[in-house]
Amino acid sequence: MSRVQVSIFMSFQSPRAVVAICAALALPGLSQAALPNSEKKRIQDYESAAPRENLPAPSLIALARAYRDATQWDKALVLFRQGERRFPSRVEFTLGRIMTLADARRIPEAVSLGRKLVRRQPRNPDSHLALGYAYQIGGQPYAELDQATEAYGLAPGRAYVVRSYIQALQNAGLAQNALREAQAHPGAMDAGQIRSLQADAAARLTRVAATSARGEAERYAVADRAIAMYDALIAQWQALGAAARSDVRRLQADRLLALHARARMKDVVAGYQALLAQGVAVPAYVLGDVADAYLYLRQPETAAHLYRRSLASAADKDDPKARVNDQAGLFYALTESGHADQANAELKAADAEQPVWLYIPGDPSRQPNDLKLDLALTQGQGDLYEGDTPQAQARLDAMVDAAPGNTRFYTARSQIYRSRGLPRRAEWDLALAQAQSPRSIDVETNQGETALDLQEWRQARLLRDDVVSRSPQSLSVQDLARDWDIHNMSELRVTAGRDVSTNSPVVGSHETDLSSTLYSPPIDENWRAFAGTGYSYSDFPEGVGTYRWARAGAQWRSRSITLQGEVSGNDFGYGLRAGAALSGSVDLDDHWQVGGGAALLSRDATPLRALRHDITANSLNANVRWRGDNRTQWTFSFTPSRFTDGNTRMEIDAAGLQRVYTSHRFRLDAMIDLSASHNTLANAPYYNPRSDLAAVPELRLTHVLYQRYDTAWEQQLTAGAGTYTEQGYGTSGLYTVSYGQRFRYNKVLDTGFTLSATSRTYDGQRERDYAVLVDLTYRF
């Protein structure tokens, strides 16, 4: 029993009541050695006395109190029951027995006896206070408040009743009400108790600010009030010196929770580090929020350490929701710091702690455990981090089917759809989520990201503006704002290649290719202008071939449609020649895309060796792409070309990709390239088989060397073996192997290199090609 609770009962009006309640409410938990000498002597005299059955009521009460002080509950109860038998009119014996039963944690007996006393003496405030004490020890603060309210209504003028009522309000979490009552009854609580109530009132504001059911503006306003209250109280109490030092420490710790609710994560970390610098032992109940702040600031290693400390604390174990939040935070911190295996193990252990169903006392029906669902949702995110998008979707599909009214599940599944390259399905899920939570930040943020994927620029801008104005501190909002800013940047694309071969009839010897294209920021949402230049060089038996070009044009992008047109100037040794190209694609749905194009003086269709002989080609193109998701894809294209030497070339290409294996660090893809061509002209000065067919299955292994947020470094190894058939020369083997690395940084830089070696035949002659290719995409 606390000192506050003892003081509550010290001011009864009658001397008899004072004696009885003092005896009944003596502090438990004292050892026999810690008792005052008078109490020890009283027990010794009593136990050595004979006979002991005829003690007067005051002595019997004093002895019962002494045994209770010594935590000898059974002996105290014997005396209280003896007093009830011998002095049935003395209610203090029953009061003492109720409270001793509560001290002994025999709560059902204490409550039962208290209820009997209340029924027998409903107008006695002490009966209600004794029953309230049993409820308090039994962890039922609202039942305690009910009894204290009854007592207060019966005796509002008694100081100890007022103190009991204020204490019950505080225990029930109604700190502001308790503080108002204390201020309305000066002297009822001492200065330390008033500080405790003020701290509780500020803590209550902090809890309200952290309630997600409230709107962002309201939550932040409440958090600001709490922070202002903490700042004012800390300044006042620091002036009190040592008397209020512990209270100041509590406020400084609680203030971190208010800063967290306000999403002032830098201030949370700064406040935490300031407390450490002062040598303050930061209480465990704030460590979870401090860990959140470190994770927010992209310091996952520190966050993981703090999450572990919080999870090991008694405070976390007593609060299941806080524990699950910390377990989920630990999962994300370990994942982001590159410890995916540990993260998955921690998450599985957390899931095993939570039952599927909860059974609430007094309710015969079982209730679903929301914390279990929270962990299942986190597991879905874990599958997504692993790259196992089918498993992630299967998990979310089951959750949506089980709880079709849960907005979070639809929102989470939309993220998986986007990761799988299915933005229209994501859009549909988000529409269902919006119908249930029309102003949800998470829903709108994901709608904004989906709009970017769908090239719905205006919609993306409006959503971005709305969520940034409402919740600029949200990480997902900041990510959307960052993606929008990147979309509005200029874009530079550069490729460079060098080929070393044994005088291939296609590429010659020592072929060099350079090209660059610069795209402007979006103009009027849908348009981008671009300009580029390039250079090609190679040695052929008949001489050197060079090709320089410059081009400029415009690109138009809207939902499902991309169009691009350009004009070009081309110089390959015969004066400047004009060229033009037009291409476009239409997404029919998430799976099918059709496209086509036409080019005058086509760079793609005209070999450099043909240009060396002043031969150019115009081409058409039609293509179809089927994309199951990010793991399965097929593309088909048909390209007829007309050369100025009279040759007509027909080319058909097909390419397929299928993901075979996925883990956090490795991906294995099976691919196949099929190509066939037919030419009408024989004996052209460039490689021009009458007809040919190539089929090359390949395996590509991707290994992630480093991954941290939006920075990734990976290497790729590709190997393929197939056949090449050329009319008049039969079928031969075609072998290829390549190794490359890629580096991506902050969503604005994507660069890499590839080294490749190919062995194949041309006109029956086996050639070996060795090449290096470097590419870069940079947004600024």
Side-chain angles (χ1 to χ4, degrees):
M1 188 175 182
S2 69
R3 298 181 183 275
V4 173
Q5 292 160 347
V6 172
S7 67
I8 288 172
F9 291 93
M10 293 298 290
S11 301
F12 280 84
Q13 301 301 307
S14 66
R16 178 178 295 178
V18 171
V19 173
I21 298 303
C22 285
L25 296 183
L27 278 169
L30 296 175
S31 66
Q32 182 74 25
L35 293 174
N37 290 333
S38 59
E39 298 293 338
K40 293 181 183 178
K41 188 174 186 306
R42 184 176 290 115
I43 291 176
Q44 292 169 357
D45 291 345
Y46 171 70
E47 290 181 344
S48 62
R52 296 176 293 186
E53 291 78 13
N54 298 321
L55 290 175
S59 298
L60 197 58
I61 288 173
L63 284 169
R65 172 190 177 185
Y67 277 123
R68 185 167 176 243
D69 286 345
T71 70
Q72 299 183 39
W73 315 123
D74 292 338
K75 291 182 179 181
L77 289 170
V78 168
L79 295 180
F80 281 128
R81 279 194 293 268
Q82 184 184 126
E84 287 181 285
R85 290 193 303 271
R86 291 177 55 201
F87 308 103
S89 63
R90 302 287 292 268
V91 71
E92 53 264 45
F93 287 104
T94 304
L95 295 173
R97 185 153 74 100
I98 293 170
M99 297 179 187
T100 305
L101 286 169
D103 292 336
R105 297 304 187 268
R106 294 162 62 176
I107 304 302
E109 296 175 64
V111 170
S112 176
L113 184 60
R115 288 174 176 172
K116 290 179 181 178
L117 180 61
V118 166
R119 285 195 296 269
R120 192 168 69 245
Q121 295 187 2
R123 303 294 300 172
N124 183 353
D126 300 335
S127 303
H128 293 284
L129 294 182
L131 177 57
Y133 179 76
Y135 282 132
Q136 177 208 336
I137 299 299
Q140 300 182 58
Y142 300 110
E144 175 200 4
L145 177 59
D146 182 59
Q147 295 303 315
T149 302
E150 290 288 342
Y152 183 66
L154 292 169
R158 298 183 188 179
Y160 73 91
V161 173
V162 173
R163 286 193 291 271
S164 294
Y165 178 56
I166 294 172
Q167 184 67 42
L169 287 169
Q170 187 177 22
N171 292 342
L174 302 175
Q176 291 173 314
N177 301 68
L179 183 60
R180 282 195 296 269
E181 287 295 330
Q183 292 170 342
H185 297 84
M189 311 293 279
D190 63 30
Q193 293 164 347
I194 292 293
R195 289 197 296 271
S196 176
L197 290 174
Q198 289 174 315
D200 281 357
R204 173 62 179 170
L205 284 177
T206 300
R207 288 193 294 272
V208 171
T211 303
S212 58
R214 295 174 177 266
E216 296 83 12
E218 183 180 0
R219 287 195 296 108
Y220 290 160
V222 174
D224 288 337
R225 286 172 53 199
I227 294 168
M229 187 173 181
Y230 283 126
D231 291 342
L233 292 176
I234 289 172
Q236 294 174 15
W237 296 357
Q238 283 178 331
L240 300 178
R245 182 172 294 118
S246 62
D247 297 317
V248 170
R249 293 289 183 255
R250 177 195 169 181
L251 288 187
Q252 290 173 327
D254 288 357
R255 183 176 180 271
L256 300 181
L257 304 181
L259 291 170
H260 179 276
R262 188 59 178 85
R264 289 169 53 179
M265 301 304 186
K266 290 183 179 179
D267 292 334
V268 173
V269 170
Y272 172 71
Q273 293 175 340
L275 290 177
L276 293 181
Q278 297 169 22
V280 176
V282 179
Y285 66 84
V286 306
L287 293 180
D289 280 5
V290 175
D292 288 347
Y294 275 106
L295 186 59
Y296 178 97
L297 297 175
R298 296 194 169 186
Q299 300 181 45
E301 291 83 4
T302 304
H305 172 69
L306 291 172
Y307 281 128
R308 291 189 189 278
R309 286 181 55 193
S310 180
L311 288 167
S313 69
D316 214 56
K317 293 175 182 176
D318 292 338
D319 187 344
K321 183 173 178 59
R323 182 169 180 79
V324 167
N325 288 340
D326 286 349
Q327 288 168 328
L330 178 59
F331 165 79
Y332 290 118
L334 290 173
T335 298
E336 296 294 359
S337 57
H339 301 289
D341 292 338
Q342 292 183 39
N344 291 328
E346 292 285 353
L347 194 58
K348 288 179 180 177
D351 183 68
E353 291 181 8
Q354 295 297 326
V356 177
W357 301 100
L358 296 178
Y359 296 88
I360 301 173
D363 187 349
S365 61
R366 63 184 185 178
Q367 301 296 324
N369 184 359
D370 289 341
L371 299 181
K372 186 81 169 180
L373 295 178
D374 290 342
L375 288 171
L377 192 60
T378 305
Q379 286 179 318
Q381 295 296 314
D383 294 332
L384 193 57
Y385 282 145
E386 289 283 328
D388 192 354
T389 50
Q391 173 61 27
Q393 183 175 331
R395 193 184 299 274
L396 265 296
D397 286 345
M399 296 173 71
V400 168
D401 291 342
N406 193 309
T407 299
R408 291 189 305 153
F409 296 165
Y410 282 110
T411 304
R413 190 169 68 173
S414 76
Q415 295 173 346
I416 295 171
Y417 281 142
R418 287 180 48 238
S419 297
R420 300 189 70 182
L422 306 172
R424 289 162 185 80
R425 297 186 69 175
E427 184 181 41
W428 176 252
D429 266 10
L430 291 169
L432 295 175
Q434 185 183 33
Q436 300 172 40
S437 301
R439 294 292 286 166
S440 167
I441 287 292
D442 286 341
V443 172
E444 285 197 34
T445 302
N446 280 277
Q447 285 180 319
E449 296 285 6
T450 303
L452 286 174
D453 292 342
L454 291 170
Q455 301 185 164
E456 290 274 10
W457 313 124
R458 182 175 182 275
Q459 180 183 2
R461 175 175 55 81
L462 293 174
L463 289 165
R464 175 259 184 196
D465 291 347
D466 183 58
V467 295
V468 167
S469 67
R470 291 165 53 200
S471 186
Q473 297 88 350
S474 167
L475 281 180
S476 60
V477 170
Q478 292 176 14
D479 286 342
L480 174 60
R482 172 66 174 164
D483 290 342
W484 176 254
D485 290 342
I486 292 172
H487 162 71
N488 285 282
M489 292 180 179
S490 299
E491 179 180 356
L492 174 65
R493 299 178 185 176
V494 179
T495 60
R498 175 74 171 173
D499 186 276
V500 180
S501 71
T502 55
N503 201 25
S504 162
V506 176
V507 298
S509 177
H510 305 292
E511 181 188 33
T512 301
D513 291 294
L514 298 170
S515 68
S516 63
T517 304
L518 178 63
Y519 288 87
S520 73
I523 302 168
D524 194 23
E525 293 186 345
N526 296 103
W527 291 95
R528 285 202 302 179
F530 66 88
T533 186
Y535 171 78
S536 290
Y537 166 92
S538 188
D539 284 333
F540 300 104
E542 64 272 24
V544 172
T546 59
Y547 177 28
R548 298 176 178 85
W549 72 90
R551 63 186 184 126
Q555 183 185 65
W556 189 81
R557 300 174 297 170
S558 67
R559 182 184 178 101
S560 302
I561 300 174
T562 299
L563 298 174
Q564 180 169 300
E566 66 174 66
V567 294
S568 61
N570 304 269
D571 181 7
F572 41 88
Y574 298 94
L576 187 63
R577 305 283 183 86
L582 179 67
S583 63
S585 64
V586 177
D587 294 325
L588 303 179
D589 54 28
D590 280 339
H591 302 290
W592 289 97
Q593 181 189 82
V594 296
L600 299 176
L601 208 163
S602 172
R603 288 187 302 277
D604 295 330
T606 309
L608 179 58
R609 194 168 188 180
L611 295 175
R612 170 70 178 76
H613 293 274
D614 195 20
I615 300 171
T616 63
N618 302 326
S619 68
L620 298 174
N621 173 266
N623 57 79
V624 177
R625 186 195 72 189
W626 178 84
R627 195 168 190 258
D629 58 11
N630 64 318
R631 302 161 66 92
T632 305
Q633 178 175 296
W634 281 94
T635 59
F636 305 89
S637 66
F638 172 63
T639 306
S641 304
R642 179 67 176 174
F643 289 76
T644 55
D645 63 356
N647 182 41
T648 299
R649 174 177 291 178
M650 300 290 182
E651 295 176 282
I652 299 176
D653 294 282
L657 178 146
Q658 177 61 57
R659 176 67 49 80
V660 177
Y661 172 78
T662 301
S663 71
H664 183 66
R665 291 291 183 185
F666 293 94
R667 300 188 302 274
L668 181 63
D669 296 311
M671 304 179 294
I672 187 169
D673 288 316
L674 303 171
S675 62
S677 69
H678 175 75
N679 293 274
T680 60
L681 182 67
N683 300 318
Y686 49 90
Y687 184 64
N688 195 49
R690 191 68 173 179
S691 61
D692 65 353
L693 173 65
V696 185
E698 295 177 301
L699 286 176
R700 181 178 64 198
L701 177 64
T702 302
H703 175 213
V704 179
L705 298 169
Y706 177 83
Q707 174 80 55
R708 189 178 181 90
Y709 295 99
D710 296 321
T711 299
W713 177 29
E714 62 189 27
Q715 59 182 347
Q716 288 185 335
L717 177 64
T718 305
T723 61
Y724 177 67
T725 302
E726 181 181 353
Q727 184 177 342
Y729 294 94
T731 300
S732 60
L734 193 163
Y735 312 100
T736 180
V737 62
S738 67
Y739 172 80
Q741 293 188 6
R742 297 210 66 78
F743 178 74
R744 290 183 290 274
Y745 173 73
N746 202 26
K747 299 182 181 180
V748 296
L749 176 65
D750 186 345
T751 186
F753 72 88
T754 302
L755 305 174
S756 64
T758 303
S759 175
R760 59 174 296 170
T761 61
Y762 296 103
D763 292 340
Q765 180 72 35
R766 182 159 294 277
E767 302 285 352
R768 292 175 177 84
D769 297 331
Y770 305 96
V772 58
L773 176 68
V774 178
D775 68 280
L776 175 144
T777 300
Y778 179 60
R779 291 178 176 270
F780 59 95

